[in-house]
Amino acid sequence: MTFNKNILCIGAGYVGGSTMAMIAHKCPQYKVTVVDINPTRIAQWNSDDLPIYEPGLDKIVKTIRGRNLFFSTEIEHGIKEAEIIFVSVNTPVKTFGAGTGMAADLQYWEKTARQILKCSESSKIIVEKSTFPVRTAFAMERILSLTENDIHFDVLSNPEFLAEGTAIKDLEYPDRVLIGSRETPTSIKARDELIEIYANWIPKDRIITSNIWSSELSKLVANAFLAQRISSINSFTAFCEKSEADIDEVARAIGMDSRLGSKFLIPSIGWGGSCFKKDILNLVYLCRHYGLYEVANYWEAVVNINEYQKERFALNILTAMFNTLAGKKICLFGFAFKANTSDTRESPAIFIANKLIQERAELVITDPRALNNAKIDLNGIDGKISYIEDPYEASNGCDAIAVMTEWEIYKGLDFEKIYQSMVKPAFIFDGRNILNHKRLFDIGFNVFPIGKASLTHF
Ligand code: NAD
Ligand code: UGA
């Protein structure tokens, strides 16, 4: 079979795997190959058991794999063959040296850039798909310009805005696709080629262009604004718990103002996920680098409020349960950082689990998709932890339930039956406000929602 374009993606993670599956699905005329240094990951992408759980992804991958979508560890071959290369490697926070805990660790993309340079035998378009610090494209261009033959590379920025759990919908019907480029003739030509790929299924007016630095910055700013909305509503949960206002009523009232909108106002134990924290801290680091200390402090506060929210939740459990958790059994309902994903990166549940174990509580963890990751996250912690998929079995004999993830299945459980099987007095801490609190109280539970008055029998 001949294809009219060879597309390569370096990095077969959440973003690389899902975005390339969508491109291959929508564009059967292109050959799309996803490569990774991790052979286990590639083997999983080639198996019946994909490395990530994302609703709808399984079906797409299994339909087109081997047709025009390929997963491989042959990076060099992939680079040689490709006309367009997406770079979707991880960009974690640095854990060493200058900028530890704040700056992005750029070793992965730099290795990738050098490998592209080394293996290329023809000119290529390089697309930054990972979230990079502003002006990374400049460094990428510098490395790629070290070529000794006639090869030319155009670097574009094309940040990804998908959210886990809804990735397929987000990729199929994105609010916008952003492409940043230089204003040179070759860069504009490269930009138009990338537009042509997306135009296979996305209306042209949703594909927007900008200068390359605006594109890189827009990704960090988008995540900062989203996290800021959640931190803002979460900051008022503390206020509501003191004043008997109800956070859901407040969120509804302000969300109906069309200037504010209703999305991202759902109170929680705190936002998690692999990107919000690292991207905001990276933004803060860049602000300080440019001497913009007030701006840095402003955005750092968004992260600080999130840490405060998690601390507050753990402390509320301790206080409500008579200031001692030693020897008590607490069941965590959910461990994923949000519903509909198996991802637990930066999940607030990790923080809460650690805090409860420090108080010498015994933990039972239940989650429909994330138990394997939970085991890895809590591996080596000195405490008693068990992992049980069935929520009824998991909560049996527990003193308390703490809802960590807003999985739909928790809403429909038979809490009468659960109450009967628990130690009394039985407690529920609803870290996502998804349960019917009045009904739980009537059953006999002592109920502690987020941002609302608690309902207790004592
Ligand atoms: P991930 O950790 O799931 O995947 C990254 C992959 O890159 C890994 O499989 C790793 O083995 C591979 N890799 C690293 N160095 C490599 C190299 N030199 N050659 C080949 N492969 C290499 O990460 P992710 O969640 O897919 O995120 C990737 C980027 O996309 C990050 O910058 C992230 O901020 C951004 N992003 C993530 C999301 C999300 O929902 N996860 C959404 C938007 C943007
Ligand atoms: C987020 C952004 O939404 C994506 O646009 C972005 O591409 C992605 O980060 C990224 O760069 O990685 P994601 O982290 O997958 O996506 O999921 P979100 O839906 O944003 O949720 C993040 C966290 O905030 C979760 O823990 C979620 O439970 C929490 N959240 C979300 C709330 O507590 N309240 C809300 O109203 C919304």
Side-chain angles (χ1 to χ4, degrees):
M1 171 125 190
T2 52
F3 295 98
N4 63 18
K5 213 185 278 293
N6 276 307
I7 296 174
L8 179 74
C9 177
I10 302 181
Y14 274 83
V15 169
S18 321
T19 53
M20 293 304 121
M22 185 55 68
I23 291 178
H25 170 57
K26 295 291 184 181
C27 315
Q29 70 276 29
Y30 306 150
K31 179 179 177 187
V32 181
T33 307
V34 191
V35 290
D36 204 288
I37 38 171
N38 181 343
T40 313
R41 221 170 209 199
I42 291 298
Q44 286 173 315
W45 279 112
N46 281 322
S47 75
D48 282 342
D49 200 9
L50 302 188
I52 60 172
Y53 169 70
E54 191 59 52
L57 178 65
D58 214 59
K59 189 162 165 243
I60 292 179
V61 170
K62 286 175 185 165
T63 311
I64 57 175
R65 199 173 49 195
R67 183 191 80 186
N68 69 327
L69 176 66
F70 302 89
F71 295 94
S72 163
T73 49
E74 292 180 26
I75 303 179
E76 289 197 15
H77 175 75
I79 292 172
K80 280 197 177 77
E81 203 184 54
E83 288 117 32
I84 297 191
I85 301 179
F86 288 82
V87 177
S88 185
V89 299
N90 38 329
T91 49
V93 169
K94 257 185 107 178
T95 52
F96 54 89
T100 295
M102 303 281 286
D105 183 347
L106 299 176
Q107 59 173 311
Y108 304 100
W109 82 251
E110 174 155 355
K111 280 188 191 120
T112 307
R114 289 184 187 280
Q115 194 171 21
I116 293 173
L117 178 69
K118 187 172 132 239
C119 303
S120 291
E121 293 170 351
S122 57
S123 297
K124 296 175 198 303
I125 297 169
I126 310 302
V127 185
E128 292 180 345
K129 192 44 122 176
S130 303
T131 305
F132 289 122
V134 184
R135 299 196 74 81
T136 298
F138 181 66
M140 182 100 79
E141 284 169 350
R142 288 289 291 272
I143 291 175
L144 293 171
S145 68
L146 298 173
T147 173
E148 281 162 9
N149 46 30
D150 259 356
I151 298 175
H152 175 77
F153 296 96
D154 280 295
V155 179
L156 301 174
S157 161
N158 172 221
E160 185 48 61
F161 297 103
L162 69 79
E164 291 180 25
T166 53
I168 296 304
K169 184 178 105 333
D170 297 341
L171 289 168
E172 195 162 11
Y173 307 104
D175 288 347
R176 78 315 205 178
V177 166
L178 173 61
I179 302 173
S181 69
R182 297 270 198 179
E183 284 301 312
T184 61
T186 61
S187 195
I188 288 172
K189 189 163 167 282
R191 182 190 76 188
D192 290 346
E193 246 188 82
L194 188 55
I195 291 176
E196 197 186 303
I197 295 178
Y198 285 114
N200 278 288
W201 78 96
I202 296 164
K204 277 259 173 72
D205 60 356
R206 294 205 167 204
I207 307 174
I208 60 170
T209 60
S210 72
N211 90 34
I212 198 157
W213 322 124
S214 306
S215 172
E216 289 178 334
L217 180 59
S218 299
K219 173 63 198 177
L220 295 179
V221 172
N223 273 0
F225 265 64
L226 290 168
Q228 182 202 37
R229 297 245 325 166
I230 311 167
S231 279
S232 297
I233 199 75
N234 278 346
S235 71
F236 287 109
T237 59
F239 198 103
C240 285
E241 286 160 31
K242 297 277 183 219
S243 63
E244 288 184 30
D246 179 318
I247 198 66
D248 287 342
E249 292 179 354
V250 174
R252 189 186 54 182
I254 65 165
M256 283 178 75
D257 185 327
S258 59
R259 294 169 302 174
L260 294 174
S262 60
K263 292 185 178 159
F264 270 65
L265 286 180
I266 302 171
S268 62
I269 32 168
W271 41 262
S274 61
C275 295
F276 278 176
K277 189 172 174 182
K278 85 167 169 65
D279 290 349
I280 297 174
L281 291 179
N282 184 223
L283 198 56
V284 169
Y285 182 78
L286 290 172
C287 289
R288 296 214 169 109
H289 168 78
Y290 288 124
L292 306 172
Y293 299 103
E294 287 76 8
V295 185
N297 296 345
Y298 177 76
W299 287 104
E300 196 166 34
V302 171
V303 176
N304 294 342
I305 283 287
N306 200 50
E307 299 305 313
Y308 163 74
Q309 184 73 346
K310 292 185 283 185
E311 285 274 3
R312 217 171 63 76
F313 188 79
L315 201 60
N316 276 351
I317 296 181
L318 176 65
T319 315
M321 294 180 76
F322 318 116
N323 291 306
T324 173
L325 300 179
K328 290 181 182 164
K329 218 170 154 185
I330 302 179
C331 183
L332 299 190
F333 268 28
F335 206 81
F337 81 97
K338 63 185 283 196
N340 299 319
T341 179
S342 54
D343 197 348
T344 58
R345 289 179 289 180
E346 293 289 339
S347 177
I350 301 174
F351 178 94
I352 304 293
N354 274 288
K355 283 282 170 190
L356 299 179
I357 287 287
Q358 279 165 22
E359 291 295 336
R360 310 230 165 128
E362 186 183 327
L363 296 188
V364 186
I365 295 170
T366 181
D367 188 290
R369 295 279 174 184
L371 283 191
N372 286 342
N373 283 333
K375 284 177 198 164
I376 297 167
D377 294 330
L378 301 180
N379 184 28
I381 290 186
D382 188 15
K384 222 169 157 196
I385 310 177
S386 43
Y387 304 87
I388 301 174
E389 200 170 313
D390 176 40
Y392 293 105
E393 204 189 316
S395 50
N396 188 358
C398 287
D399 299 80
I401 290 170
V403 179
M404 301 281 107
T405 314
E406 71 283 19
W407 286 104
E408 199 58 32
I409 48 159
Y410 298 147
K411 297 181 193 168
L413 293 174
D414 179 350
F415 278 98
E416 194 91 55
K417 178 173 156 188
I418 288 175
Y419 180 74
Q420 296 308 331
S421 75
M422 288 177 65
V423 172
K424 311 296 179 313
F427 294 80
I428 285 200
F429 301 90
D430 187 355
R432 298 286 185 166
N433 281 355
I434 54 166
L435 304 178
N436 182 336
H437 301 139
K438 172 77 174 60
R439 179 156 159 64
L440 292 173
F441 174 72
D442 290 343
I443 290 171
F445 283 105
N446 298 296
V447 189
F448 293 80
I450 290 261
K452 299 168 191 264
S454 51
L455 301 169
T456 60
H457 296 280
F458 42 81

